[in-house]
Amino acid sequence: MLSTSLRVLPDAFGALAIAAAFAFLLTAPDSAIANGYQSPTGPRPVEFLINSQWQTGLHLVDSSTESLIMAKDGWLHTVDANKRTENMRPTSERYQPASAMQMRNQLRAEFGRDFDVVATQNFLVVQPRGRGNRWPDMFENSHRAFVEFMTKRGVRVRKGRFPMVAVVLPDARAMYAELDRLKIDVSRVAGIYANRCNRVLTHDGGRLSDIAATVRHEAAHQSAFNSGVHSRVNDTPSWITEGIGQMFEPESLAGGIVGSTHRIADRMNQESIRHLRNTLSLNRSDDMVRWVERLVDGDDAFRDQSSVHTAYAVSWAMMFYLAERDHTAFADVLHFTATRPPFENYRRGQRRIDFERIMGIDTVTFANRLTRYLNELP
Ligand SMILES: [Zn+2]
């Protein structure tokens, strides 16, 4: 089983995906945002130049330095502000996402004859030739279990606009080469969801049981960002995105063991609960109050090696508690964060105000209840 640390970098990339495109959103103080985001008058179709080719896309938003465009295959691209006139032009063509058939052909051309592209209802899985249905079934089952889980709790789930793409490279080395090609800088990962290209990447070079939890975690990110549970173009607090990722690591939750979810111990992320029991003193709630407030207010704990494990574990606990005990608040916090305006910086004070309003209690009371709940778990 992999330790959570192996997911740190990809998650920083995945959850704050736009980071790749709008680097300063990651770390920017409020002033950086004040200084330049404007939405064009609603998303408009444009032609834009990428890798020496003109493509049609949807122009989403401008900053002082870049324009953000969604291509027909769901990729997010940027055009430099000072190249807008050369590299971007209006078009009368309607923007229409690529069909599964078009994307399948595109993936075949991209990956060549050593790979199959297997279509399922919701996925296009690129994998080394002749690997059968194990990976396609795993992604498809994970997504279906995700949709069912959310629907049962009153979360609005919509059908994605793009077929989801999962790329299974033959081994770790090939995966890192592919990550390099996509200019994604990570190390020591078993898989990642890259928001910019809307793909999950993993590899088939080890035992599946060693990387399965990570792949389920990343697949949950992809499901969430493609079904409207999170937005790909706004800044969702990391405790929410990572709490969801952690929650879907157990095999029973991701549809891996049919009918096994009736035992709470099977639904729990055992690694997270173990970490919490070893790290925080759960006989009082002081520790939990501090952690809940830190995660509600900002995402810094996810960027610091000394706090990142606990940040993931507490995020899991917060989302798991809501998913098990308060479906209304669980659905409300997802609905609210998914519908915030694109690219609007989510300020610390506002995060706290929204949290307390949605939960109907203050952070201290929330942390007290959460601590009590964790103590009751098997
Ligand atoms: Zn994650």
Side-chain angles (χ1 to χ4, degrees):
M1 190 62 59
L2 291 163
S3 86
T4 341
S5 65
L6 302 191
R7 288 190 294 271
V8 173
L9 284 168
D11 283 323
F13 184 90
L16 296 163
I18 289 304
F22 286 86
F24 67 83
L25 274 181
L26 258 180
T27 50
D30 299 352
S31 61
I33 308 298
N35 123 49
Y37 271 103
Q38 287 178 13
S39 171
T41 48
R44 289 173 305 191
V46 286
E47 287 181 318
F48 66 105
L49 193 61
I50 194 84
N51 303 328
S52 321
Q53 286 194 326
W54 288 93
Q55 285 192 23
T56 306
L58 202 59
H59 179 192
L60 299 174
V61 72
D62 291 332
S63 76
S64 53
T65 53
E66 293 157 314
S67 295
L68 184 69
I69 298 165
M70 184 173 279
K72 287 181 162 185
D73 56 6
W75 282 55
L76 293 167
H77 295 281
T78 53
V79 169
D80 271 7
N82 56 16
K83 298 225 168 113
R84 270 181 200 136
T85 36
E86 292 153 63
N87 292 353
M88 207 168 90
R89 60 195 186 204
T91 176
S92 54
E93 201 188 317
R94 217 158 60 86
Y95 173 83
Q96 185 146 33
S99 67
M101 181 76 86
Q102 286 166 329
M103 280 184 66
R104 193 175 182 175
N105 291 339
Q106 193 182 314
L107 288 166
R108 280 200 176 119
E110 183 180 344
F111 286 91
R113 57 179 53 218
D114 293 337
F115 289 84
D116 287 328
V117 182
V118 181
T120 67
Q121 194 180 338
N122 293 286
F123 285 86
L124 291 169
V125 179
V126 180
Q127 60 180 11
R129 286 196 84 96
R131 298 289 167 106
N133 282 323
R134 196 181 55 152
W135 285 103
D137 287 349
M138 176 173 171
F139 283 110
E140 188 64 34
N141 290 341
S142 293
H143 182 69
R144 287 182 192 190
F146 177 90
V147 169
E148 190 188 325
F149 182 95
M150 292 296 164
T151 307
K152 269 190 186 152
R153 284 158 183 78
V155 179
R156 289 191 295 269
V157 174
R158 62 163 167 72
K159 190 162 169 20
R161 271 176 294 188
F162 308 95
M164 290 185 281
V165 174
V167 180
V168 181
L169 283 308
D171 52 35
R173 210 176 138 148
M175 184 184 74
Y176 286 117
E178 178 64 9
L179 289 168
D180 246 22
R181 189 176 75 87
L182 295 170
K183 301 192 173 61
I184 298 172
D185 179 21
V186 290
S187 56
R188 297 190 303 136
V189 298
I192 101 163
Y193 166 65
N195 193 329
R196 183 168 55 89
C197 58
N198 199 28
R199 292 178 178 178
V200 164
L201 293 114
T202 184
H203 69 81
D204 202 8
R207 285 184 310 165
L208 182 59
S209 57
D210 289 343
I211 63 169
T214 305
V215 175
R216 289 192 289 264
H217 175 118
E218 303 303 329
H221 284 324
Q222 190 177 37
S223 292
F225 281 102
N226 279 271
S227 62
V229 170
H230 306 319
S231 160
R232 285 180 70 203
V233 292
N234 78 22
D235 181 15
T236 307
S238 292
W239 72 268
I240 298 174
T241 53
E242 295 310 334
I244 296 281
Q246 294 292 98
M247 216 162 60
F248 282 89
E249 290 192 5
E251 190 174 8
S252 68
L253 224 68
I257 309 171
V258 176
S260 70
T261 53
H262 62 280
R263 281 185 48 215
I264 193 158
D266 290 334
R267 296 194 295 275
M268 290 164 56
N269 185 319
Q270 294 296 342
E271 194 184 312
S272 292
I273 190 77
R274 201 162 42 239
H275 181 82
L276 292 173
R277 285 174 176 151
N278 291 339
T279 317
L280 306 188
S281 69
L282 293 176
N283 50 356
R284 301 158 41 117
S285 58
D286 309 25
D287 273 0
M288 194 53 88
V289 171
R290 263 206 332 275
W291 272 100
V292 164
E293 292 187 342
R294 185 170 175 190
L295 297 185
V296 166
D297 289 350
D299 296 336
D300 63 288
F302 292 90
R303 295 194 279 271
D304 179 345
Q305 278 303 325
S306 66
S307 56
V308 66
H309 290 143
T310 312
Y312 275 94
V314 175
S315 299
W316 167 77
M318 291 170 73
M319 288 309 280
F320 187 71
Y321 166 67
L322 292 173
E324 294 283 331
R325 287 294 175 90
D326 191 345
H327 292 182
T328 308
F330 180 75
D332 283 353
V333 79
L334 290 169
H335 291 155
F336 181 78
T337 50
T339 51
R340 290 183 57 258
F343 305 113
E344 194 178 282
N345 190 33
Y346 203 175
R347 292 158 206 261
R348 300 175 70 81
Q350 193 60 47
R351 283 171 60 144
R352 178 84 71 102
I353 289 168
D354 292 341
F355 178 87
E356 296 190 334
R357 181 178 46 75
I358 291 165
M359 299 303 152
I361 46 177
D362 61 20
T363 45
V364 175
T365 311
F366 181 89
N368 288 338
R369 289 185 190 172
L370 177 58
T371 308
R372 222 165 25 234
Y373 177 69
L374 294 176
N375 281 318
E376 287 164 12
L377 289 176

